[in-house]
Amino acid sequence: MCGIVGFIGKEQAAPIILEGLAKLEYRGYDSAGVAVYDGESIKVEKAMGRLKVLEEMTHYGSTLPGTIGIGHTRWATHGQPSNINAHPHLNAKGTISVVHNGIIENYLQLKNRLIRHGYEFQSETDTEVVAQMLDYYYSGDPLEDIVKVLHRIEGSFSLGIIFSEQPDAIYAVRKSSPLIVGKSAEGSFIASDVPAILKYTRKVYYLGENEVAKLTCDDVTFYDADGEQIEKEPVEIKWDAEAAEKGGYEHFMLKEIYEEPKAVRETLMPRIKDDRIEIEELKLTDEEIRKIPKIHIVACGSAYHTGVTAKYVFEGMGRIPVDVDIASEFRYRDPLLSEEDLVIVISQSGETADTLEALRIAHKKGCKVLGIINVLGSSISREADMVMYTWAGPEISVATTKAYSAQLAALYLLALKFSYVKGAISDQELAAYIDDLKRLPDQIELLLGGKERIQRFANRYVAAKDVFFIGRGIDYAISLEGSLKLKEISYVHSEAYAAGELKHGTISLIEEGTLVAAVLTQKDLYQKTMSNIVEVKARGAFVLAVTNEGNTEIEKNADYVIYIPETNKYFANSLAIIPLQLFGYYVSVGKGYDVDHPRNLAKSVTVE
Ligand code: F6R
C-alpha cells in the first residue's frame, strides 16, 4: 500500500504534494518521491526512508519549481525499498511520469513484451511497466493512450500520471485501490485519502472502478473505461480537519485511544431510539432477519478479532450460528455458503484486498453482504449491499484502536437487533443491554483516567522478550487483540492463547519472570482461568491480570491487577481492551519506537 498526491494549479506544486504525503505516511513510509514539470521537463527527486529525508533534500519542495506535479510515499511490494524502486517512475525519454498504488498482476508478461520491443527497465517495480507502456502507445492524446493501457493491465491500481508534452493536465486512474479528486480555488488535486487535501478542499469526487480523471487548473473531467465522458457529483467532507491532526498528543495512537469514548458513543447513539435498536442502513425486514440461518464474519487483523468477539455475542445472546474467518483464508477455501446466509465484512479502511475479495466471493455465491466500515466511499462500502458505518473519524496511526472499539460497538448493536428480532431476548433484557451500551463510553473514559498506572507497569516491562496473553471465551478474543497491539508496535514477541490450551504445549515456554497477561472478565469462566494463572505462577510467570471490579481475591495469585468497571459479559471487550492498548503503546514509547509507523506495516493493506 502506498500514498499518492498530485496537484495542478496556481501555487507551487511540490510543497503542497509533500505536505499531502505527510498526511499519507501511514500508508507506507519506506521511500518517497516527487515529479514536477518545471516548464521545460519533468524533474524527479526520490529518497529512501521516511518522507522527512525527501523534505529536507528538496528544502520542503522549493528546489522543485513548477505548478503541476505528482508524489508518492511507498510501501514496497515489487522490489526492495531503494531510490531506483521509489516512485515516480518515468519512460526512458523522461516525458511521462507515473505514481502507483496497488499491484499490476500481469506486469511480468507486459514487461517481457516491452523488452522484446526494445524497452529497457531501470527498476524492479510493476509500476515502471505503466510508464513504459504509455510510451509505447503514445499518440499525443493522453486519454486515448491511458484507456489502451487500462485495458491491458490487470490487478489493483490507482495511478497519477503527468506528460511533459501535455503539461496542462494530471491524469488519474483507479481500479480497486482508493483515489479521490479534489477541487479548490487554488487548483485540482488527486490523493489516496482525504486528509492529504483537507487543508485545501472539502469538495471531493470518488473515482469509481476503471474510471479516469483529467485535472486541469480550473476543471476536473471524468471518463469511463472506454474514454467516454461521465458526470460525477462531488461529496462534501464533513470531518473536522483537526481530527486528522495530532491535537497536542505525542502520537496519533494515544490521541486515537483518547477518542474511543467518542467513537463508541457516535457509533452507538444514533442507532438507539426509545430503547430500541434501529439500524437504518440494515435493509432487512424482521422477517428476513428471522430467516437468516447463519452469519459469516470475514475480516483481517484486529477487525477479525472483533469478529471473534461477535461470534461469542451472537451465539451466546441470540443462539445465532456464526462462522468467523480470516479473509485471506476464506477467499481460497471455497467456503460453504447458502444464499440465505448473511455475510458481514468488517474493515476500518474499506480497502483491504482480501476482505474485498471475500465480499465478491460472497456475492458470487448469492449472499447479501453487510459491511461494517469506517471510511466513507471506500471500495468495500461501494460494493457491499448494506453499509453500517463506524463513526470513528479518520484513524491515522497504523495500529488500530478507536476503529476497533467502534467495530465492537456496531457488532453489539447488530447482535442485539438480531437476538431481539429472533425472540432470543425479551423487552426487559433488551432494555438492560441498551443501558449497558449507553454506559460504555463513560466507562472507557474512566479507564483512560488510570493511564499512569499502566504506563508505570509498561516501563517495568520494556525489556520483556516474550509475553503471553491468556483468556477463555470473549477473554480469549480480547487476548488476541491485546497481544497484536503489543507485538505490532513494540516488536516484543507475544502470543495469545485460549487459557485452557496452554498446557498442550505452550506452557513449556514459561520460565522465571515471563510476563503472562491474563484476562478474566467472564464470570462463568473466572475460576477456570484462575487455575491457569496458578499453573503459570508455579512455573515462575509474572502475572498481570485484567478483571472486573470486585474480584479482589485475584490479588492472591496475580502480581499486578487492573480492574475494569462492571458491564454485562458480552460487552467486556470494550473495557478490557483499553488497558491492553495503553500497555502496548507505552512499551513502544518506552523503547523509543516510531509508534504510529511500525516497521514493515501499512495502514491499509490493498495487496493480498
Ligand atoms: C492492527 C491493524 C490491522 C488491521 C487489518 C485490517 O492494529 O490495524 O490488523 O485491523 O489490517 O484492516 P482494515 O480494518 O482496514 O480492513
Side-chain angles (χ1 to χ4, degrees), residues 242-262 394 396-397 401-402 444-445 448-449 451-452 455 582 585-586 589 594-597:
E242 268 283 290
E245 302 293 340
K246 277 193 208 150
Y249 288 89
E250 200 185 338
H251 299 102
F252 278 111
M253 182 170 174
L254 188 62
K255 172 176 181 266
E256 288 161 4
I257 290 176
Y258 268 80
E259 286 169 349
E260 287 186 71
K262 182 165 180 265
I396 306 297
S397 183
T401 51
K402 63 173 178 170
I444 296 174
E445 215 147 312
L448 291 173
K451 84 171 184 354
E452 274 79 20
Q455 183 172 12
L582 285 167
Y585 171 76
Y586 282 118
V589 171
D594 187 349
V595 179
D596 290 329
H597 303 101

Side-chain angles (χ1 to χ4, degrees), residues 300-303 346-350 352 398-400 407 484-485 488 605:
C300 300
S302 297
I346 309 169
S347 174
Q348 185 285 128
S349 60
T352 303
V398 166
T400 183
Q407 285 163 357
L484 178 60
K485 279 290 87 78
E488 67 179 327
V605 184

Side-chain angles (χ1 to χ4, degrees), residues 580-600:
L580 298 183
Q581 290 173 341
L582 285 167
F583 176 60
Y585 171 76
Y586 282 118
V587 173
S588 178
V589 171
K591 294 184 124 184
Y593 292 149
D594 187 349
V595 179
D596 290 329
H597 303 101
R599 68 186 178 202
N600 306 336

Side-chain angles (χ1 to χ4, degrees), residues 262-271 388-392 406-407 409-410 413:
K262 182 165 180 265
V264 171
R265 195 175 287 119
E266 295 194 352
T267 302
L268 290 174
M269 296 319 279
R271 290 149 174 155
M388 189 173 170
Y389 281 108
T390 45
W391 299 115
Q407 285 163 357
L413 289 169

